[in-house]
Amino acid sequence: MARPRMFDEERALDAAMRVFWECGYEATSTQDLCDATGLGRSSIYNTFQSKHALFERALARYLDTMTVTQTAVLDDVERPAADRVRTLLALVVEGEAECRKGSGRALGCLGVNTVVELAGRDPAAAALLERDTVRRLAAYRSVMEAGRRDGSIASSRTPEALARFLNATVAGLRVSSQGGAGRAELEAIAETAMDALTP
């Protein structure tokens, strides 16, 4: 009979996710992961098989958490679509401000960071990112279609084009934050995006 694991696998996964988020995949060593999780090398490899497999699980967890949070805001059909988009952008700005407060620097988005670092040369990471992009674009397209129906979104562009614009705006907010933009600058970007979408 296999011995039960004597640690919280989910907590270890969260700790590893934070290290990958702060340092990136390549710069994270196995020792960094041991230090963050409190696990020995053998426990990490027995549980997660490899650094890359652990990274895949951490990235999937991060993407699922972020996308669920975003879609919950966008699915609030009691509010006009433009208000939902505005709330989403405010959530991103607030997340960047909170992240900076906790670490002293902006970490951006683990998904965006992974696109820059790995997507062109890591098929597994690219597949996770593509799956997440498809999910987010569907939610963004849906809210743009709702905005057309309720009159709160006035752009003449197609819902698909507007979904991609919103996706680029969210990513741009996170990259701008990493580049040193403060809350006021991020809020100005968000308001400019809303100006492009609303009457």
Side-chain angles (χ1 to χ4, degrees):
M1 187 161 94
R3 276 183 16 198
R5 291 198 178 109
M6 303 304 292
F7 64 90
D8 183 335
E9 188 173 320
E10 297 302 306
R11 186 173 296 155
L13 186 56
D14 282 341
M17 180 179 72
R18 183 71 185 190
V19 176
F20 287 127
W21 193 1
E22 289 178 356
C23 304
Y25 176 74
E26 296 291 350
T28 297
S29 69
T30 303
Q31 188 58 52
D32 292 333
L33 295 169
C34 291
D35 293 344
T37 61
L39 301 175
R41 287 173 186 263
S42 61
S43 292
I44 286 179
Y45 287 110
N46 288 338
T47 304
F48 301 107
Q49 284 74 55
S50 68
K51 173 184 162 181
H52 193 272
L54 175 53
F55 176 73
E56 284 182 51
R57 284 191 56 190
L59 178 61
R61 184 181 187 90
Y62 175 89
L63 294 172
D64 287 343
T65 300
M66 289 295 160
T67 299
V68 164
T69 301
Q70 288 188 13
T71 54
V73 168
L74 297 176
D75 289 344
D76 182 5
V77 296
E78 298 300 313
R79 302 169 63 205
D83 287 353
R84 292 182 254 163
V85 173
R86 185 175 281 107
T87 300
L88 170 66
L89 294 175
L91 188 69
V92 172
V93 170
E94 184 62 30
E96 291 303 312
E98 283 300 311
C99 197
R100 187 184 297 273
K101 192 187 306 179
S103 67
R105 67 185 180 88
L107 300 179
C109 167
L110 180 58
V112 173
N113 297 350
T114 303
V115 167
V116 173
E117 182 183 9
L118 294 179
R121 57 191 173 86
D122 185 324
L128 284 170
L129 293 164
E130 177 60 22
R131 182 197 72 168
D132 184 64
T133 298
V134 167
R135 286 172 62 195
R136 273 184 295 102
L137 285 174
Y140 294 173
R141 187 170 49 252
S142 178
V143 78
M144 295 305 173
E145 289 166 349
R148 283 284 183 72
R149 288 191 301 272
D150 69 25
S152 64
I153 300 291
S155 173
S156 62
R157 302 287 182 179
T158 66
E160 178 68 28
L162 295 176
R164 291 192 177 279
F165 171 72
L166 181 56
N167 191 52
T169 301
V170 169
L173 284 166
R174 290 183 163 139
V175 172
S176 295
S177 179
Q178 280 186 292
R183 182 189 286 271
E185 290 91 348
L186 298 181
E187 287 173 346
I189 293 168
E191 283 306 312
T192 302
M194 293 308 302
D195 289 347
L197 293 170
T198 55

